[in-house]
Amino acid sequence: MARDALYEESALCARAQKEEKWYLAFQIIAIIFSVVSVLDAFFCFISLPAVIHQYRTEGEEQLTTFGFAVNLILMFGMLASFVLCAFLFFRFRKRFNVSYDYLFVEDELRVTKVFNGRKRKHLVTMKADSVLQIGYYEKPSFDRLAAGLNGKKTKFLTSNREPVGDKEFIYILHSASGIKTLYVIECRRMMLEYVVRGFGRTKFERE
């Protein structure tokens, strides 16, 4: 294969239309909690001088100290809960409508995670000299490799539970800094041919 060989493919989420709605719903809720957090923070800092004044003018210091602490916990505890909710909804929205882009160029495979068709995050670059074995996910060789990784979970670089259309699941055993990782990607046979030729035919296990 020529050194300038290039092939690109995507593993789109089979539930993209439905999950896009969930993504947007989580994003809207997160924005609402963010706005509420800002308003509540403004209210807390506006009210704080009055609470401090009340603490200073009360007669029994022990009682007012406890009351002051309770007021602060109620005020800023609610603010913290709003901020936490906003953070969680922003974070968990990324679990919906996730797809993966595979780019094979020269002798390496680059995998990128795509959130809702917009935001992208590079995950891993697999070079020929760091790939140990390639094969079909449904073959016994995959089970043998998975069993030999001492319980380490296989990393699926696809959101689908089974291949879509004319695609298939293939595995790639990758080693970086002495740590072996078993990846599964969803691709067409053309991508498999590029990967096998680029990484070495002797690394391809048919069974």
Side-chain angles (χ1 to χ4, degrees):
M1 174 174 287
R3 293 288 296 175
D4 60 350
L6 185 148
Y7 184 79
E8 186 174 11
E9 193 171 314
S10 297
L12 302 177
C13 178
R15 307 172 300 280
Q17 187 173 2
K18 180 179 180 180
E19 291 197 2
E20 183 177 8
K21 296 178 181 178
W22 280 105
Y23 182 97
L24 293 175
F26 270 59
Q27 180 166 289
I28 291 172
I29 295 173
I31 292 173
I32 292 174
F33 272 112
S34 298
V35 172
V36 172
S37 297
V38 172
L39 295 177
D40 189 55
F42 178 77
F43 173 78
C44 286
F45 286 105
I46 289 295
S47 304
L48 189 58
V51 175
I52 295 175
H53 178 72
Q54 181 183 4
Y55 162 71
R56 287 176 175 173
T57 55
E58 285 286 349
E60 300 180 15
E61 185 176 349
Q62 183 177 3
L63 178 63
T64 55
T65 300
F66 176 77
F68 178 66
V70 171
N71 276 328
L72 287 183
I73 291 173
L74 291 176
M75 289 171 58
F76 291 97
M78 184 171 294
L79 173 60
S81 65
F82 289 146
V83 173
L84 178 61
C85 287
F87 170 78
L88 291 177
F89 275 100
F90 269 121
R91 183 177 180 86
F92 284 106
R93 67 179 176 149
K94 293 184 178 180
R95 295 191 175 187
F96 299 102
N97 195 22
V98 176
S99 59
Y100 294 81
D101 286 346
Y102 314 124
L103 175 63
F104 185 89
V105 54
E106 295 185 348
D107 60 350
E108 64 182 34
L109 178 65
R110 304 168 188 172
V111 182
T112 302
K113 193 173 185 178
V114 184
F115 303 96
N116 201 39
R118 297 179 181 86
K119 295 184 178 180
R120 303 169 62 85
K121 178 183 179 182
H122 176 74
L123 294 182
V124 63
T125 296
M126 304 180 214
K127 296 181 179 294
D129 56 0
S130 61
V131 171
L132 305 178
Q133 189 170 318
I134 311 162
Y136 295 106
Y137 171 72
E138 72 277 4
K139 297 294 184 178
S141 59
F142 170 80
D143 296 326
R144 291 194 298 269
L145 288 177
L149 292 179
N150 299 321
K152 187 176 181 181
K153 291 185 177 180
T154 301
K155 293 188 177 182
F156 283 81
L157 303 179
T158 174
S159 299
N160 301 319
R161 299 181 180 90
E162 58 184 32
V164 177
D166 59 347
K167 296 180 181 180
E168 53 193 336
F169 284 165
I170 67 169
Y171 70 79
I172 300 176
L173 180 62
H174 180 257
S175 178
S177 301
I179 300 176
K180 294 180 180 180
T181 306
L182 192 57
Y183 294 103
V184 172
I185 68 173
E186 177 190 0
C187 64
R188 294 182 176 86
R189 186 168 296 275
M190 180 63 73
M191 172 64 79
L192 175 59
E193 291 179 2
Y194 270 81
V195 168
V196 170
R197 292 175 185 174
F199 291 161
R201 292 185 178 277
T202 58
K203 300 177 182 179
F204 181 51
E205 177 63 57
R206 295 184 177 275
E207 296 299 331

